[in-house]
Amino acid sequence: MTQRIVIENAAIATVDANDTEYASGHVVMAGNLIESLGAGRAPEGLENVVRRIDATGHLVTPGLVNTHHHFYQWITRGLATDHNLFDWLVALYPVWARIDERMTYAAAQGSLAMMARGGVTTAMDHHYVFPRGTGDLSGSIIRAARETGVRFTLARGSMDRGERDGGLPPDFAVETLEGALAATEATVDEHHDASFDAMTQVAVAPCSPFSVSTELLKEGAELARRKGVRLHTHGSETVEEEKFCHELFGMGPTDYFESTGWLGEDVWMAHCVHMNDSDIAAFARTRTGVAHCPSSNARLAAGIARVPDMLAAGVPVGLGVDGTASNESGELHTELRNALLVGRLGPHREAALNARQALRLGTYGGAQVLGRARETGSLEPGKLADLVLWRMDTLAHASIADPVAALVLGAAAPVTASFVGGEQIVENGRLLHVDEDAVARSTRAEARRLADIAGRC
Ligand SMILES: [Zn+2]
């Protein structure tokens, strides 16, 4: 018989289509699904209730969804701290090119732990550095995600445009076109699960216009559509990228993506900072999604993405941590606040984004761009029981009456419990399935090992 877990006495922000909220309500989880939710106490007479949680003083929201990350960067944090994107990449490519399976696994564990303990229930990793002969990097990342217990999309990245072909990465850090496509297809075949409650999905994800050939973009898009999986890449991040595209391809990034088959409802792109009105209209028309990464954009001085204009045009927008070499905190819940604050520095000022819109970006918007909005991203009967209990009655938040404003504008709220498909993965801010202290030690050791190896090259 299906087991039920009942949460009661919580403020609830469902992030459904009407932004329904309850000042004091209940959620009933049955197996891996949300069975019912609403105001007041749970219905009487529920059978097989194995646990009843009194969530007085808490806000319940959908689990956060991260839509852009590079896990391996966990062991190269705090380097090249005063650079723009291209200078930062040129400084770090030679270090990244020395990663191996052990480093990748430890870095994935660190990235996943940091996000999960902060309320992320669906994560993604855009991994695009595959040095030859270094083991099964994709498999090690997926293993770390399974162990942490989060729902996961691996965006199998690739680079095949080295310096000799006018690209930015050194030639020794890139794969061949054929090698990248074959390895990506093998990863999809081995790991992609298309089912409703999938824990692991795979996307096809050549890295960026300045590190990937036109052929890899075109053939990658064909591969993804043949396999029925999604497409992800970086787009329109900086003025330097825009200049690069005009010089090499005679057009801006969005037109270039359109010419290679890279606009569509099965595509989501990180950043999209430098978009003109016609770029935004093209994204809206094709339902191409955006992973907005406000902290990384600030850290690398990339600019302010036009999120209010994108939302007004109907572009699906989610939030991303981005790699932790350009956002050392590695937390998604602080990105809700940063999205709101950075947005208000732009032309829309105080009307740019409100707290509820920020929460929507980090939950439902993320599920939309990952192609999983039927399953997760809002609290509704029949959807997966991916949800977070945020503690709101401590010093940090207790004096704020509006719990959604407290969550978004206040300090990072403690996570009392986090559930993925009805399975609890966090309790009182600690991971239940992974030893955080052991992960901290192994990430430090692997960061040192990588620095030593890179320093000798
Ligand atoms: Zn990125």
Side-chain angles (χ1 to χ4, degrees):
M1 201 172 13
T2 308
Q3 298 192 328
R4 292 190 168 79
I5 298 174
V6 174
I7 301 168
E8 291 180 306
N9 306 320
I12 301 170
T14 65
V15 199
D16 67 7
N18 303 314
D19 267 333
T20 307
E21 294 179 14
Y22 303 101
S24 179
H26 66 273
V27 181
V28 179
M29 296 185 264
N32 66 346
L33 301 178
I34 296 169
E35 184 176 56
S36 64
L37 75 167
R41 304 293 295 267
E44 299 281 326
L46 290 172
E47 289 182 4
N48 214 19
V49 174
V50 294
R51 193 169 162 205
R52 216 169 256 281
I53 301 171
D54 177 1
T56 303
H58 286 77
L59 169 67
V60 177
T61 70
L64 302 184
V65 179
N66 188 39
T67 63
H68 187 66
H69 208 308
H70 311 288
F71 289 175
Y72 72 91
Q73 292 180 10
W74 191 260
I75 54 172
T76 63
R77 293 192 296 161
L79 305 175
T81 53
D82 305 305
H83 296 52
N84 69 39
L85 175 73
F86 276 16
D87 296 342
W88 173 86
L89 284 169
V90 168
L92 288 171
Y93 279 139
V95 182
W96 293 341
R98 310 297 167 193
I99 60 169
D100 61 24
E101 185 177 328
R102 224 165 79 202
M103 293 172 192
T104 305
Y105 174 68
Q109 282 188 307
S111 298
L112 285 155
M114 197 66 201
M115 283 186 295
R117 69 209 282 278
V120 169
T121 55
T122 300
M124 74 79 74
D125 181 21
H126 184 191
H127 188 91
Y128 55 85
V129 183
F130 290 91
R132 259 182 293 270
T134 48
D136 179 11
L137 303 190
S138 298
S140 74
I141 296 163
I142 288 169
R143 182 157 56 95
R146 290 213 176 113
E147 288 165 356
T148 310
V150 296
R151 219 172 283 292
F152 182 58
T153 295
L154 176 70
R156 203 293 181 182
S158 45
M159 302 192 290
D160 73 333
R161 186 191 288 276
E163 278 169 340
R164 117 182 110 221
D165 300 316
L168 208 60
D171 292 323
F172 63 81
V174 304
E175 296 176 279
T176 63
L177 168 67
E178 298 75 21
L181 286 167
T184 303
E185 182 161 0
T187 305
V188 173
D189 289 343
E190 188 178 350
H191 296 291
H192 182 71
D193 177 0
S195 51
F196 178 82
D197 57 354
M199 292 301 288
T200 307
Q201 298 203 324
V202 178
V204 175
C207 186
S208 66
F210 50 82
S211 60
V212 162
S213 67
T214 306
E215 294 72 33
L216 182 50
L217 282 174
K218 284 184 176 166
E219 293 186 33
E222 285 166 16
L223 167 66
R225 285 171 184 141
R226 183 157 50 79
K227 294 282 176 186
V229 300
R230 297 180 75 75
L231 287 152
H232 180 60
T233 192
H234 294 93
S236 305
E237 184 172 356
T238 63
V239 284
E240 290 82 8
E241 176 191 331
E242 205 175 7
K243 188 160 164 273
F244 178 96
C245 286
H246 277 287
E247 281 173 9
L248 246 75
F249 314 124
M251 59 185 107
T254 300
D255 290 338
Y256 178 57
F257 284 127
E258 185 149 40
S259 75
T260 51
W262 271 77
L263 294 186
E265 60 184 2
D266 53 356
V267 181
W268 87 104
M269 260 178 237
H271 305 304
C272 304
V273 173
H274 296 275
M275 302 268 279
N276 60 32
D277 289 347
S278 87
D279 296 335
I280 291 177
F283 270 55
R285 192 179 64 243
T286 55
R287 303 286 296 158
T288 305
V290 171
H292 174 44
C293 305
S295 294
S296 171
N297 295 157
R299 160 80 153 80
L300 295 173
I304 301 171
R306 295 174 59 189
V307 172
D309 298 325
M310 293 177 194
L311 294 177
V315 176
V317 182
L319 290 182
V321 166
D322 203 1
T324 46
S326 65
N327 178 6
E328 274 76 0
S329 85
E331 299 173 316
L332 189 63
H333 54 330
T334 50
E335 293 301 297
L336 305 180
R337 180 170 186 253
N338 290 348
L340 185 149
L341 296 180
V342 168
R344 288 187 182 184
L345 295 173
H348 295 274
R349 300 187 59 195
E350 70 277 12
L353 210 59
N354 64 39
R356 280 161 180 82
Q357 288 173 306
L359 176 60
R360 177 170 289 275
L361 293 183
T363 53
Y364 188 82
Q368 261 188 313
V369 308
L370 294 184
R372 307 207 67 177
R374 273 189 325 117
E375 302 147 82
T376 190
S378 61
L379 303 179
E380 298 177 68
K383 292 186 85 164
L384 293 164
D386 296 353
L387 56 87
V388 182
L389 278 75
W390 307 92
R391 188 156 180 201
M392 290 296 169
D393 61 355
T394 67
L395 173 67
H397 304 91
S399 61
I400 304 175
D402 175 352
V404 175
L407 178 71
V408 174
L409 297 173
V415 172
T416 295
S418 183
F419 291 85
V420 178
E423 288 280 330
Q424 190 173 353
I425 64 164
V426 175
E427 181 155 300
N428 294 327
R430 301 283 292 183
L431 299 171
L432 285 174
H433 305 310
V434 172
D435 179 347
E436 281 177 37
D437 300 329
V439 172
R441 284 192 297 276
S442 70
T443 53
R444 188 170 180 82
E446 295 303 320
R448 283 187 176 157
R449 197 162 66 83
L450 176 57
D452 283 351
I453 293 170
R456 286 200 299 273
C457 293

